[in-house]
Structures are given as structure tokens and as C-alpha cells.
């Protein structure tokens, strides 16, 4: 494996989940694998879970880790080719990525979308150029459109908590005060769609009108604007806000009726409640649920370590 940016980079999702669970049961079994290897984590945006869990995963494998907060500590990057760099950008991504590749055996990059231009964000220009110029394997720590380490951790969590062979998994939109990227929702839809193809889950998405995700992630998925209908008999409910894809980056509604609470949980099959975090309490998700027995959000965040460790291990072995 030389690149981890999407479910498409994984040959067998069932196998990678099992490998992650084996690492969870024996975290230090491969301490020699990463000896004298360096992981570089490059952040253009804030992070708690991705930063700490990926560092922890690398340390478990015996790797050294360097973290670069590019947005605060690095030179402002130019991504366009053929421009005279007489503006605020001090360094071109061609040199910056190539230099980081000299210092690290594997690189991870977090880069959010600007949410101003759909075509620009969905071209993943920054991430793709980083991959092209760094000359080492690259892991997405969340790109403009996808968050694959999160989705792998989500699938691990579903495998751990499922009570039936093929659980019903619902992704529901939730209100928010800020326009957020579609990356977590796109990625979850992509991974669940693959899991559905392999008969591992029954997957449904529910959101208000105007919040349709890009078709490439949802073409094989049932989508309904009726949240109560979607929640019927759900075994897992994944709560997440995203801004509109079609009315790009816009907030179209703040309908508080979409917030999941104990009353709505009654419609489900005592569903486990998931969220990638950070979560805005009593805006996106009711405190009564976050603090209640059905929430697995902390365990889900814990599984970020095993997701990252499984991917790093696979890259080190190849
Ligand atoms: N879920 C997630 O990626 O969290 P962070 O933004 O804190 O890394």
C-alpha cells in the first residue's frame, strides 16, 4: 500500500477490520516493524483525535513521529503551477512536499476544503499534489472530500458492537451553526456502500432536502428525507452535520427537529449512537444521548488508533 485516501485503496475491508482488532488485542506485537522509520504528520487544520491517535498508532509500531502544524508554523503554500509567486505564498507545494518526503518514510496530510468552489474542492488538488511531489507513501488525515481513517474506525466500531449479522446503519444529518465539510459523510457513505455490497450492513442515509451528497458516494444507497422512517429498526445511528453539496457550502436549514434525542432513539432497535467528534452538545446531538448507555462515541474515537495502526502496518510491510 502506497496511498490511503479512500476505501478504494483497501483490497478487503472485512480483512482490514479484523487486522485492526488483532492489533487492538496486542498493540505492541510489531514494535520492530517501524524501528528507525519516521512518520510525518502535516496539519493545515486543527485536530485532536486524528493527531493523537495516529501518533499513538505509529509509536505502537516503534516509529518516530514528527508533527508539523503547517497552518501555524509553516510557510504559506502555493499550490498553482505557472504563477509568479509575488503574493503572500512563500513556498510552492512542489518543494515543500518533496522536502518533507526527504525527512519521512510515510507522510500524513490533513487539508480541509474552503467550501467556496465545489469543483476546486472536489478536485483534491492540494492532497493530490502533496502525494505526487512527496515521493513517499501518503495517508489522508482528512482531505477536502474524504476522511478514510475515521470511516475505518467507524467500521471497526460497528463490527465490535453489532448484535446481528447484518445491522441496519443509518447516517442522519444534524443541525449546526457553521458550514462544515461533507468529508466525513462522503467517506462514511463510501465505506458503508462497500460494506453493503459485501452484505455486511443495510445502509440508509437521511437528510433534509438540499443536502444530497455527491452521487459518486451514494449511487447505491437508499436516501430519504423522512428521518423517522429511516430510524425504524436501526441498529446504529451515525449523526453528522454537513453543508450543502448542491448549494455548495451553504446552510439551508437549522431545523432543530433533526437533532437526535432519546425520543427519536425509541424508534430504533435500541441503536448505538455514533459521531466522529468533535460534537456540539444539544445542537447536533442531545446530551442525554451522549451521556447515556447507547452512545459509543468515545469507543469510536478510541478505535481511531487501531484504524491508523492497521494502515501504517500495511504500508510498512509493503
Ligand atoms: N474526528 C476527527 O477527525 O477528529 P479531529 O478533527 O479532532 O481529528
Amino acid at each position: 500500500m502506497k496511498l490511503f485516501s479512500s476505501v478504494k485503496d483497501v483490497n478487503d475491508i472485512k480483512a482490514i477490520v479484523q487486522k485492526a482488532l488483532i492489533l487492538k488485542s496486542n498493540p505492541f506485537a510489531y514494535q520492530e516493524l517501524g524501528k528507525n522509520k519516521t512518520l510525518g504528520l502535516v496539519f493545515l487544520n486543527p485536530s485532536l483525535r486524528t493527531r493523537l491517535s495516529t501518533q499513538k498508532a505509529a509509536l505502537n509500531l516503534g516509529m518516530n513521529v514528527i508533527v508539523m502544524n503547517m497552518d501555524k508554523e509553516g510557510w504559506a503554500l502555493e499550490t498553482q503551477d505557472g504563477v509568479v509567486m509575488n503574493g503572500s505564498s512563500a513556498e510552492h507545494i512542489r518543494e515543500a512536499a518533496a522536502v518533507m518526503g526527504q525527512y519521512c518514510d510515510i507522510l500524513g496530510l490533513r487539508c480541509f476544503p474552503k467550501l467556496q468552489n465545489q469543483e476546486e474542492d472536489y478536485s483534491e488538488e492540494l492532497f493530490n499534489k502533496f502525494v505526487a511531489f512527496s515521493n513517499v507513501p501518503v495517508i489522508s488525515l482528512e482531505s477536502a472530500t474524504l476522511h478514510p481513517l475515521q470511516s475505518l474506525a467507524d467500521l471497526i466500531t460497528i463490527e465490535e458492537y453489532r448484535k446481528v449479522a447484518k445491522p441496519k446503519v443509518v447516517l442522519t444529518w444534524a443541525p449546526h451553526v457553521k458550514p462544515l465539510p461533507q468529508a466525513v459523510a462522503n467517506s462514511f457513505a463510501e465505506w458503508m456502500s462497500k460494506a453493503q455490497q459485501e452484505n455486511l450492513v443495510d445502509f440508509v442515509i437521511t437528510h433534509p432536502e438540499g443536502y444530497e451528497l455527491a452521487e459518486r458516494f451514494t449511487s447505491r444507497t437508499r436516501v430519504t428525507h423522512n428521518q423517522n422512517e429511516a430510524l425504524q429498526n436501526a441498529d446504529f445511528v451515525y449523526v453528522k452535520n454537513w453543508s450543502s453539496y448542491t448549494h455548495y457550502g451553504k446552510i439551508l436549514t437549522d431545523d432543530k427537529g433533526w437533532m437526535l434525542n432519546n425520543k427519536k432513539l425509541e424508534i430504533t432497535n435500541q441503536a448505538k449512537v455514533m459521531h466522529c467528534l468533535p460534537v456540539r452538545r444539544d445542537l447536533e446531538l442531545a446530551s442525554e444521548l451522549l451521556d447515556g448507555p447507547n452512545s459509543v462515541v468515545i469507543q469510536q474515537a478510541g478505535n481511531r488508533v487501531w484504524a491508523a495502526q492497521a494502515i501504517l502496518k500495511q504500508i510498512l510491510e509493503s
Side-chain angles (χ1 to χ4, degrees):
M1 183 186 270
K2 295 253 184 280
L3 174 68
F4 181 68
S5 64
S6 149
V7 74
K8 296 189 183 102
D9 299 314
V10 175
N11 288 335
D12 184 340
I13 56 167
K14 211 172 162 180
I16 195 86
V17 167
Q18 290 311 317
K19 285 176 186 171
L21 288 170
I22 290 168
L23 288 168
K24 185 171 183 174
S25 67
N26 193 2
F28 309 115
Y30 297 91
Q31 278 266 310
E32 286 300 309
L33 187 63
K35 198 173 169 194
N36 298 329
K37 301 281 184 193
T38 300
L39 173 68
L41 300 177
V42 182
F43 288 88
L44 278 81
N45 306 97
S47 166
L48 186 160
R49 280 142 290 271
T50 307
R51 175 189 305 257
L52 297 184
S53 62
T54 313
Q55 282 189 62
K56 170 87 174 155
L59 294 173
N60 285 351
L61 291 167
M63 298 185 80
N64 302 310
V65 188
I66 301 172
V67 180
M68 177 79 186
N69 298 309
M70 200 72 189
D71 53 337
K72 298 182 187 74
E73 298 157 0
W75 302 108
L77 285 183
E78 178 59 61
T79 57
Q80 298 295 311
D81 286 318
V83 292
V84 177
M85 286 174 57
N86 57 1
S88 57
S89 300
E91 178 153 36
H92 202 280
I93 192 160
R94 283 177 175 265
E95 285 79 45
V99 168
M100 288 189 263
Q102 295 283 308
Y103 306 145
C104 300
D105 300 283
I106 303 173
L107 283 164
L109 177 68
R110 165 165 285 201
C111 53
F112 283 170
K114 293 184 188 138
L115 291 178
Q116 283 158 12
N117 181 322
Q118 186 197 80
E119 198 181 338
E120 190 181 304
D121 288 343
Y122 275 69
S123 76
E124 292 280 14
E125 184 188 33
L126 200 153
F127 185 83
N128 290 335
K129 286 193 169 167
F130 190 82
V131 171
F133 301 132
S134 64
N135 232 1
V136 294
V138 175
I139 298 174
S140 167
L141 306 174
E142 187 172 350
S143 68
T145 65
L146 291 170
H147 196 355
L149 282 177
Q150 179 65 55
S151 305
L152 176 53
D154 300 337
L155 193 56
I156 294 166
T157 309
I158 290 169
E159 173 61 16
E160 279 187 312
Y161 285 91
R162 71 180 168 84
K163 291 190 190 131
V164 291
K166 190 179 171 186
K168 179 175 177 184
V169 179
V170 177
L171 169 63
T172 180
W173 181 91
H176 205 288
V177 286
K178 281 179 67 181
L180 298 190
Q182 296 98 33
V184 170
N186 285 342
S187 198
F188 189 70
E190 190 188 44
W191 283 71
M192 285 303 119
S193 185
K194 178 85 176 157
Q196 185 161 255
Q197 276 173 48
E198 298 188 12
N199 224 21
L200 301 176
V201 298
D202 174 22
F203 182 49
V204 180
I205 301 176
T206 183
H207 57 69
E209 278 185 51
Y211 281 92
E212 288 71 20
L213 295 167
E215 207 191 326
R216 74 179 92 155
F217 304 117
T218 59
S219 56
R220 296 184 184 163
T221 303
R222 268 186 298 144
V223 180
T224 171
H225 298 140
N226 185 334
Q227 190 191 42
N228 285 353
E229 180 195 305
L231 292 175
Q232 295 273 343
N233 299 319
D235 297 295
F236 293 89
V237 183
Y238 198 107
V239 178
K240 184 71 186 92
N241 170 268
W242 61 90
S243 59
S244 175
Y245 171 73
T246 42
H247 305 273
Y248 194 63
K250 298 276 181 294
I251 295 177
L252 306 179
T253 178
D254 62 355
D255 183 351
K256 290 166 185 54
W258 276 83
M259 185 183 75
L260 199 73
N261 54 21
N262 273 343
K263 184 114 191 82
K264 283 181 187 278
L265 198 74
E266 284 172 15
I267 307 171
T268 71
N269 184 25
Q270 271 298 307
K272 294 297 180 198
V273 177
M274 302 175 70
H275 190 291
C276 63
L277 305 181
V279 63
R280 295 214 181 199
R281 282 174 166 254
D282 298 312
L283 177 70
E284 284 180 87
L285 189 46
S287 296
E288 61 190 17
L289 273 181
L290 281 166
D291 300 331
N294 291 67
S295 171
V296 292
V297 300
I298 304 301
Q299 296 88 332
Q300 184 185 352
N303 282 335
R304 292 292 306 273
V305 175
W306 320 114
Q309 197 166 330
I311 297 302
L312 285 171
K313 177 173 175 282
Q314 197 150 320
I315 293 173
L316 287 168
E317 285 171 343
S318 59

